[in-house]
């Protein structure tokens, strides 16, 4: 049965089949082959029946806890949004397969209700309100990205419904004095820092760096932290430039960058943005013959599409990662270890898990243990249990400071090597050495 689940990519295919997820219909034919109709119907019935997994439309019942989330299933961050959804879906499937969430003498199954926000923060906020007031969800899981989270957390605060989010890292999310927002991921300031630390660990590290950033709050916060950290470590920041978030043409930015290191190319190019912008940067660097010794991006290299889009040009690229399968955590949850999570995820979805998926699963685990610890499904009691939570999971420690941020979990640096994701820093969790310098595009 497990192998069939991986073949189907079940939840989104079901929605496409029923007309609830048009975004998946346009992608599915290139990714999966169809199954015979009778077998498909049987598996969909199993997967989407109450107590197994909701498919975006399950209503709450007395023994079902309904979790709601607006997600960017279309638009500029659709790739990351789908990975977020898969992380949520895997948690729902596994928690129900393991008997649900026990609260006193009652055991609750879990269901997920989600909508496509089109990568629009404003739409995300509207859908969050709809989930609370019309769909009557018990609890909220976060959207993808800082911009949407900033909008949605205000709605959660207004209605006093706890939200655990996994894909908004900006400090701004946790600096507004809100009491119902919790984030399982490391803060934005760590994204670039961990890659610069990896570069500094080299025998002959880069001496100059160019930093380019999308102009959204997360990316700018990361870029500012990167600039400050680089300078503090003696790396000369020779170029610092923002561009519109979601930009599809960066030739102007990159042309100026090309001669910014005293007339030459900087040793290191560090991009703070999103997957599509990272892919664009690499493609245009090749076109413009910009050969840096090291390329690093905060978001992109950890996603499966990055390697697919760039082919051999993805090799040597660094990325920051909230989680990798090579880490050595021993969790109390049913996944237990990163390696076991990787195995179950691949069986379910047919591809490697990204950190966006892992951290989304972790958001579900945070709720699961908080509800159990609270001994109640009352939103206020669950919120208070979240504030006290301190557990080790396959994803690492989940513990929140007074603002709701998880400032207790480290990040890792990955590198694409021979078309595969390798963990290269810190050395305690690395399974490969950092390859440096990057060969020119013409020699790959």
């Amino acid at each position: 049965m497990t192998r069939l689940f991986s073949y189907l990519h079940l939840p989104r295919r079901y929605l496409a089949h029923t007309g609830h997820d048009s975004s998946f219909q346009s992608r599915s034919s290139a990714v999966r082959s169809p199954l015979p109709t009778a077998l498909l119907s049987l598996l969909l019935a199993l997967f989407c029946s109450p107590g197994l997994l909701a498919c975006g439309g399950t209503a709450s019942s007395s023994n079902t806890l309904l979790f709601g989330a607006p997600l960017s299933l279309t638009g500029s961050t659709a790739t990351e949004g789908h990975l977020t959804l898969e992380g949520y879906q895997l948690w729902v499937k596994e928690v129900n397969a393991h008997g649900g969430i026990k609260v006193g003498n009652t055991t609750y199954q879990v269901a997920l209700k989600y909508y496509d926000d089109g990568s629009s923060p404003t739409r995300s906020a509207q859908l969050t309100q709809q989930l609370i007031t019309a769909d009557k969800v018990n609890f909220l899981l976060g959207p993808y990205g800082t911009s949407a989270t900033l909008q949605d957390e205000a709605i959660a605060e207004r209605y006093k419904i706890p939200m655990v989010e996994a894909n908004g890292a900006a400090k701004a999310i946790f600096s507004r004095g809100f009491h119902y927002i919790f984030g399982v991921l490391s803060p934005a300031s760590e994204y670039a820092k961990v890659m610069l630390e990896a570069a500094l660990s080299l025998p002959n590290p880069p001496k100059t760096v160019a930093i380019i950033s999308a102009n959204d709050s997360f990316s700018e916060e990361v870029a500012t932290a990167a600039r400050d950290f680089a300078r503090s470590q003696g790396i000369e920041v020779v170029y610092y430039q923002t561009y519109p978030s979601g930009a599809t043409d960066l030739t102007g930015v990159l042309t100026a960058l090309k001669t910014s290191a005293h007339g030459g190319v900087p040793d290191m190019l560090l991009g703070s943005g999103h997957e599509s912008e990272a892919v664009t940067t690499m493609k245009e660097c090749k076109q413009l013959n910009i050969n840096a010794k090291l390329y690093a991006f905060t978001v992109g290299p950890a996603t499966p599409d990055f390697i697919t889009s760039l082919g051999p040009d993805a090799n040597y690229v660094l990325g920051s990662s909230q989680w990798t399968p090579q880490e050595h955590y021993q969790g109390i949850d049913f996944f237990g270890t990163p390696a076991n999570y990787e195995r179950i995820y691949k069986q379910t979805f047919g591809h490697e898990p990204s950190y966006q998926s892992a951290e989304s699963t972790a958001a579900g685990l945070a709720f699961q243990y908080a509800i159990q610890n609270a001994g109640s499904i009352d939103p206020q009691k669950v919120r208070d249990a979240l504030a006290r939570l301190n557990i080790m999971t396959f994803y690492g420690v989940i513990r929140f400071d007074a603002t709701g941020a998880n400032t207790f979990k480290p990040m890792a640096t990955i590198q694409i090597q021979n078309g595969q994701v390798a963990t290269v820093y810190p050395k305690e969790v690395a399974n490969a050495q950092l390859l440096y310098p990057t060969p020119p595009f013409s020699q790959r």
Side-chain angles (χ1 to χ4, degrees):
M1 180 64 76
T2 304
R3 291 178 61 83
L4 292 172
F5 285 161
S6 68
Y7 189 72
L8 267 173
H9 211 96
L10 270 170
R12 293 211 314 263
R13 180 171 293 282
Y14 171 77
L15 295 179
H17 182 72
T18 56
H20 286 80
D21 188 358
S22 58
S23 66
F24 183 63
Q25 289 176 305
S26 63
R27 295 157 52 98
S28 60
S29 60
V31 178
R32 301 284 187 275
S33 299
L35 283 178
T37 303
L39 179 57
L40 175 63
S41 300
L42 172 63
L43 291 172
L44 293 176
L46 287 171
F47 222 88
C48 300
S49 62
L52 285 178
L53 184 64
C55 294
T58 301
S60 180
S61 67
S62 59
N63 288 323
T64 300
L65 294 178
L66 185 58
F67 291 75
L71 294 168
S72 54
L73 302 180
T74 59
S76 61
T77 59
T79 296
E80 295 93 330
H82 278 289
L83 294 171
T84 301
L85 174 60
E86 289 181 351
Y88 290 156
Q89 288 174 326
L90 186 58
W91 170 67
V92 171
K93 180 172 82 76
E94 290 298 316
V95 71
N96 289 338
H98 286 78
I101 302 176
K102 188 172 177 59
V103 181
N105 295 323
T106 303
T107 298
Y108 292 92
Q109 292 287 288
V110 170
L112 175 65
K113 179 87 175 183
Y114 61 90
Y115 294 104
D116 177 16
D117 65 23
S119 302
S120 164
T122 301
R123 180 62 177 152
S124 186
Q126 293 168 345
L127 293 172
T128 298
Q129 177 140 343
Q130 179 176 329
L131 286 163
I132 295 172
T133 59
D135 299 314
K136 308 295 184 184
V137 299
N138 297 96
F139 303 106
L140 291 167
L141 292 163
Y144 177 79
T146 288
S147 298
T149 306
L150 283 166
Q151 296 281 330
D152 297 354
E153 66 170 341
I155 308 299
E157 184 77 11
R158 182 189 308 165
Y159 289 95
K160 300 186 185 306
I161 300 295
M163 170 185 281
V164 179
E165 61 95 5
N167 290 281
K171 184 179 179 180
I173 294 171
F174 306 101
S175 61
R176 304 166 76 181
F178 289 165
H179 299 90
Y180 293 85
I181 183 71
F182 299 89
V184 298
L185 67 175
S186 305
S189 59
E190 299 299 307
Y191 277 72
K193 179 182 176 183
V194 73
M195 293 189 291
L196 290 166
E197 288 177 335
L200 287 165
S201 71
L202 293 163
N204 185 23
K207 294 181 173 56
T208 58
V209 61
I211 300 173
I212 61 174
S213 166
N215 65 353
D216 60 83
S217 55
F218 162 76
S219 301
E220 290 191 318
E221 185 175 319
V222 171
T224 300
R227 180 180 59 190
D228 295 345
F229 184 75
R231 287 174 173 169
S232 73
Q233 300 299 310
I235 302 177
E236 183 182 4
V237 180
V238 295
Y239 187 75
Y240 188 89
Q241 182 63 50
T242 60
Y243 56 80
S245 182
T248 57
D249 182 358
L250 295 172
T251 53
V253 172
L254 296 174
T255 299
L257 176 154
K258 186 175 181 179
T259 56
S260 61
H262 312 291
V265 176
D267 292 339
M268 183 174 183
L269 191 164
L270 195 158
S272 177
H274 303 284
E275 187 224 22
S276 61
E277 297 148 17
V279 170
T280 297
T281 299
M282 290 302 296
K283 288 182 176 178
E284 293 184 347
C285 278
K286 183 177 183 179
Q287 294 168 0
L288 296 168
N289 198 31
I290 296 174
N291 291 295
K293 294 179 180 177
L294 201 56
Y295 302 88
F297 298 95
T298 54
V299 178
T303 64
D305 285 358
F306 186 82
I307 298 172
T308 303
S309 299
L310 293 173
D313 292 336
N315 289 329
Y316 296 90
V317 174
L318 295 187
S320 50
S321 185
Q322 290 279 354
W323 172 90
T324 76
Q326 291 80 37
E327 291 174 318
H328 304 299
Y329 301 123
Q330 183 63 57
I332 63 172
D333 57 292
F334 37 66
F335 296 106
T337 64
N340 196 45
Y341 179 84
E342 178 190 36
R343 180 185 63 80
I344 296 171
Y345 187 98
K346 288 175 68 175
Q347 288 177 342
T348 305
F349 297 110
H351 61 85
E352 286 283 343
S354 69
Y355 75 79
Q356 288 91 347
S357 297
E359 62 195 9
S360 299
T361 300
L365 291 174
F367 262 126
Q368 177 185 331
Y369 283 94
I371 292 168
Q372 290 177 175
N373 292 346
S376 171
I377 62 171
D378 176 76
Q380 185 61 46
K381 291 182 180 178
V382 173
R383 180 264 163 214
D384 293 343
L386 283 166
R388 296 190 299 269
L389 195 65
N390 183 5
I391 57 173
M392 180 58 72
T393 70
F394 83 94
Y395 172 72
V397 66
I398 301 178
R399 179 184 175 190
F400 307 108
D401 66 16
T403 70
N406 185 358
T407 54
F408 305 95
K409 189 187 76 63
M411 291 188 70
T413 296
I414 62 169
Q415 185 177 41
I416 309 302
Q417 298 184 356
N418 297 317
Q420 302 292 321
V421 175
T423 304
V424 297
Y425 186 86
K427 64 179 182 180
E428 293 80 10
V429 299
N431 68 333
Q433 289 190 330
L434 199 164
L435 301 180
Y436 178 85
T438 303
F441 285 106
S442 60
Q443 298 178 19
R444 299 192 201 180

